[in-house]
Amino acid sequence: MKSRKLLVFITTALVTLLLTIGLPSLISSPIFAQPNTNLIISAAASLKEALEEIKPLYQQSKTNVKINYNFGSSGALQQQIEQGAPADIFISAAKKQVDALEQKGLLVVGTRNIIAKNKLVLIVPKNAAGITSFYSLKDAKVKKIAIGEPRTVPAGQYGQQVLEKLKIWSEIKSKLVFANNVRQVLASVETGNVDAGLVYITDAKISNQVKIVVTADEKYHSPIIYPLAVVKRSKNVDTAKEFSQFLSSNQAKSVFKKYGFILP
């Protein structure tokens, strides 16, 4: 009986002590803070400005998500993912690279989606004259033409298709300077290191140092699309899916449209 009374006394004293030192505040406060999530998005170089502008729009409502971009040529990014480099989302400038990853089982099934489209253009330095069409590239005065490496750079792949359809690829091949991504092509034309280059219309629009000569007819190349998919190896699949969906929202679409992308 005495033991029982002693136990009740000790329990009452302990509860009183806890209430005194602030147990109510412990109860009313959340025990766990919302964890921070880091997302790595491997994306085609031509999307850089648009995705950078979309980033803070997403983080307005997702303050715990940190977005990290890895921009490059779609082929190089594909190879990085195949070799195990960290990535949660892959956005390519062509279906070829996404197809390859999908066939190897490296993407989350059902997450593939096209977020934008583009056009291919022939550009020259702003003050250049004499080049008025693709056929002008055959002129002896044209010494160097920049183009993305067709095996790894979608813009180069599309460019080769156009030049082959126009039956001038073999004639100008010796003049071609191959770049690692489409932004290198743009930079080469801006600096005047080449006489002309093939880039996306969105690349040409962000530069005041180049001018568009002609837009390639879409019947001369494969559809220029930007497919997206979540990488299966991602440790943040649910968050990656949320960000992927946001890229198809009206907010994101308005940004893509601002930079000259065509909405799917």
Side-chain angles (χ1 to χ4, degrees):
M1 192 72 176
K2 288 182 178 180
S3 298
R4 187 174 173 184
K5 287 183 178 180
L6 180 61
L7 181 61
V8 171
F9 174 77
I10 292 173
T11 301
T12 303
L14 181 60
V15 170
T16 302
L17 177 62
L18 288 173
L19 289 172
T20 302
I21 64 175
L23 181 61
S25 63
L26 291 175
I27 295 173
S28 61
S29 301
I31 298 175
F32 298 107
Q34 194 173 20
N36 290 325
T37 302
N38 290 310
L39 275 188
I40 300 175
I41 292 92
S42 290
S46 51
L47 290 167
K48 186 177 187 301
E49 287 74 19
L51 288 181
E52 290 286 12
E53 190 166 321
I54 287 172
K55 178 178 175 178
L57 297 178
Y58 177 75
Q59 292 179 319
Q60 285 175 1
S61 60
K62 302 290 182 179
T63 55
N64 65 310
V65 180
K66 184 179 180 181
I67 304 294
N68 301 286
Y69 291 123
N70 174 30
F71 295 108
S73 72
S74 300
L77 297 175
Q78 171 204 334
Q79 291 172 9
Q80 289 174 15
I81 293 171
E82 289 176 341
Q83 293 165 7
D88 297 289
I89 296 171
F90 177 45
I91 312 175
S92 175
K95 67 186 294 291
K96 174 185 174 183
Q97 290 76 21
V98 180
D99 286 345
L101 293 180
E102 191 170 52
Q103 289 165 8
K104 293 181 180 180
L106 296 176
L107 303 177
V108 177
V109 176
T111 60
R112 187 165 173 169
N113 183 35
I114 296 172
I115 61 169
K117 298 181 180 182
N118 217 330
K119 293 183 178 182
L120 191 73
V121 295
L122 175 66
I123 61 171
V124 295
K126 188 175 182 179
N127 298 318
I131 298 177
T132 58
S133 71
F134 282 107
Y135 293 108
S136 298
L137 300 177
K138 297 190 296 179
D139 196 304
K141 293 180 181 178
V142 178
K143 305 295 183 184
K144 292 181 180 180
I145 306 159
I147 183 174
E149 167 54 60
R151 290 172 296 181
T152 56
V153 183
Q157 172 194 333
Y158 300 129
Q160 181 175 354
Q161 290 173 355
V162 171
L163 297 172
E164 286 180 337
K165 283 285 187 181
L166 296 174
K167 302 187 185 306
I168 59 174
W169 171 263
S170 58
E171 291 185 59
I172 67 171
K173 193 172 182 180
S174 61
K175 302 180 182 182
L176 298 178
V177 177
F178 296 104
N180 292 329
N181 60 63
V182 72
R183 289 304 170 84
Q184 283 188 10
V185 176
L186 179 64
S188 295
V189 179
E190 287 178 326
T191 57
N193 288 335
V194 297
D195 301 299
L198 283 164
V199 299
Y200 298 120
I201 193 169
T202 51
D203 298 305
K205 285 186 173 183
I206 64 168
S207 175
N208 59 5
Q209 299 176 60
V210 303
K211 62 182 178 182
I212 296 173
V213 174
V214 62
T215 301
D217 193 317
E218 293 183 1
K219 68 184 179 184
Y220 293 146
H221 59 73
S222 303
I224 301 176
I225 59 174
Y226 289 81
L228 165 157
V230 175
V231 180
K232 185 178 284 188
R233 200 165 44 245
S234 169
K235 296 178 181 179
N236 308 294
V237 171
D238 289 339
T239 305
K241 286 181 178 179
E242 284 183 1
F243 183 71
S244 299
Q245 291 169 358
F246 184 78
L247 291 179
S248 295
S249 69
N250 288 334
Q251 271 186 297
K253 284 180 179 179
S254 65
V255 176
F256 285 128
K257 191 174 181 180
K258 169 186 171 182
Y259 283 96
F261 289 95
I262 303 164
L263 300 180

